[in-house]
Amino acid sequence: MLTNPYTPGQVPRILAGRAPELSLIRDRLARVEAYGELSGPLLVFHAPRGIGKTSLLREAQREAEEHGFVTAWVACARRQPLLSELVDRVGHALEVAEVVTGRGAGGWRAQVQKVSLQVGPPGVQIGAEVSRAPETSRPPAPVAALEDLLHDAATKVRKRGGSGLALFVDELHAAMRPDAAVLLNALQNLDGRREDNPLTVIGAGLPSTPEELTKAATFGERTSFVGLRLLDDRGSKQALVEPARLLGVSWDDRAVAAVERSARGYPYFLQLLAHAAWQAARPDEGHKITAAHVRKGLPAAEEQLEAMYRARWRAATALEQDFMAAMAAEAGATTEPGEEPAVARSAVATRMGRTSRAVSMPRDRLLDKGIVEPAGHGLLRFTLPGFTEYVRTQAAAGA
Ligand SMILES: Nc1ncnc2c1ncn2[C@@H]1O[C@H](COP(=O)(O)OP(=O)(O)OP(=O)(O)O)[C@@H](O)[C@H]1O
Ligand SMILES: [Mg+2]
């Protein structure tokens, strides 16, 4: 049997159906490459879990590197300082790319360390200062420090013959608001001297990201937000067929249709089902995957999915489980495919027979773990497609 080319839970070998998004990314990279200037406002992709945000960003990073960019990657996490991490990653990226070498490397490292201290942690007081500061006054110290560092890094890359600096920020919804405020302010200022800053910043996060960023800085809405959709039938088919074709294995049309029906364009399910069908078929070069293989693989794929839901459910305390069960009971039918229904916080508390304040602890813990997210004013939803239904079943079974 050939090695299984499908990648449930990992960056896919073939990024299917994302031509429009990649073209937005390429435009930005091209602008930096051609003019040595900042590529416009922050570009942020948002979608629920498992739709392919990280995969898209990784592909963007790969292309940026192919086009002579030095790249740095950072993933935000709740209650963890973002900026010092970001600064360290940028510092490290320049060293690895040998943009700074010899004696220059020592000076660079010292500068990075200094800025790292200036921007945090924890950055809480800083943020309050930033959001109060009128846009015209001198920028607060952390903003200026970050701005200078990004400027220096990007121009150093350019001077060394590179295209510029490309920064990727994943899980942006989880950034602490003060940190996001500093980042947005720094980018805003760099945009004022656009031609001096060969830089692009691309981010991704859950659907709450636009709201979070807009709260972090008044001009957060100047960011370009792009919602990532489920894959359409062509994209789904490509995700299934292409990785196999490269190994000389084909998919029967009915097998493709069977996977499409179960996955409904959700990339994580597609990978799970394709992986399982491949395991069932154990193909060699020239073989074909059939609908019978898909059927045979189905229990294994469902077991995996169930395991993912179960891990989240079991890791929750009794109170958190009560909270989730109340959410699932309140939820109506899913409106948007791939996005779970939104539920009013107050209704969840009422259903639990408590005040809103009394349920703030389990709610915050579930937000921290990325199991639920804010969904507009006073609303919440599960981040993982299909989880509402799973919780309903668990609650009904009294598990
Ligand atoms: N365009 C695509 N083509 C094929 N497979 C994809 C595509 N996008 C994502 N996948 C697959 O879907 C799964 C989830 O992708 P990814 O981790 O990028 O999603 P995500 O939106 O970042 O999720 P999370 O919010 O949990 O971090 C992975 O198994 C990946 O291989
Ligand atoms: Mg991700």
Side-chain angles (χ1 to χ4, degrees), residues 7-10 12 15-16 49-55 171 267-268 271:
T7 52
Q10 290 171 308
L15 187 80
R49 298 248 167 249
I51 302 280
K53 302 176 294 293
T54 303
S55 302
E171 303 274 313
Y268 180 67
Q271 293 290 343

Side-chain angles (χ1 to χ4, degrees), residues 23-40:
S23 124
L24 285 177
I25 290 166
R26 286 182 192 132
D27 284 350
R28 290 183 180 239
L29 295 177
R31 193 161 152 195
V32 179
E33 199 180 350
Y35 302 116
E37 67 175 27
L38 193 88
S39 70

Side-chain angles (χ1 to χ4, degrees), residues 6-18 47-56 170-171 173 205-206 228 231 235 239 266-272 312 383-384:
Y6 299 101
T7 52
Q10 290 171 308
V11 173
R13 268 168 241 285
I14 301 286
L15 187 80
R18 294 294 184 220
R49 298 248 167 249
I51 302 280
K53 302 176 294 293
T54 303
S55 302
L56 177 67
D170 202 2
E171 303 274 313
H173 58 273
L206 291 171
L228 216 52
L231 294 177
Y266 181 47
Y268 180 67
F269 290 174
L270 279 169
Q271 293 290 343
L272 263 185
R312 292 178 175 220
T383 57
L384 188 65

Side-chain angles (χ1 to χ4, degrees), residues 307-373:
M308 191 169 64
Y309 292 143
R310 194 164 52 229
R312 292 178 175 220
W313 179 254
R314 294 240 174 109
T317 64
L319 190 58
E320 287 162 16
Q321 286 187 352
D322 285 350
F323 189 93
M324 289 191 278
M327 260 181 82
E330 272 306 312
T334 305
T335 43
E336 184 92 345
E339 199 158 272
E340 296 296 282
V343 177
R345 293 173 176 209
S346 52
V348 175
T350 308
R351 188 173 276 270
M352 291 171 75
R354 295 168 184 248
T355 62
S356 267
R357 182 187 294 256
V359 300
S360 65
M361 211 174 60
R363 187 191 63 214
D364 288 352
R365 292 271 302 146
L366 293 169
L367 282 163
D368 284 350
K369 291 194 231 174
I371 293 178
V372 305
E373 63 167 344

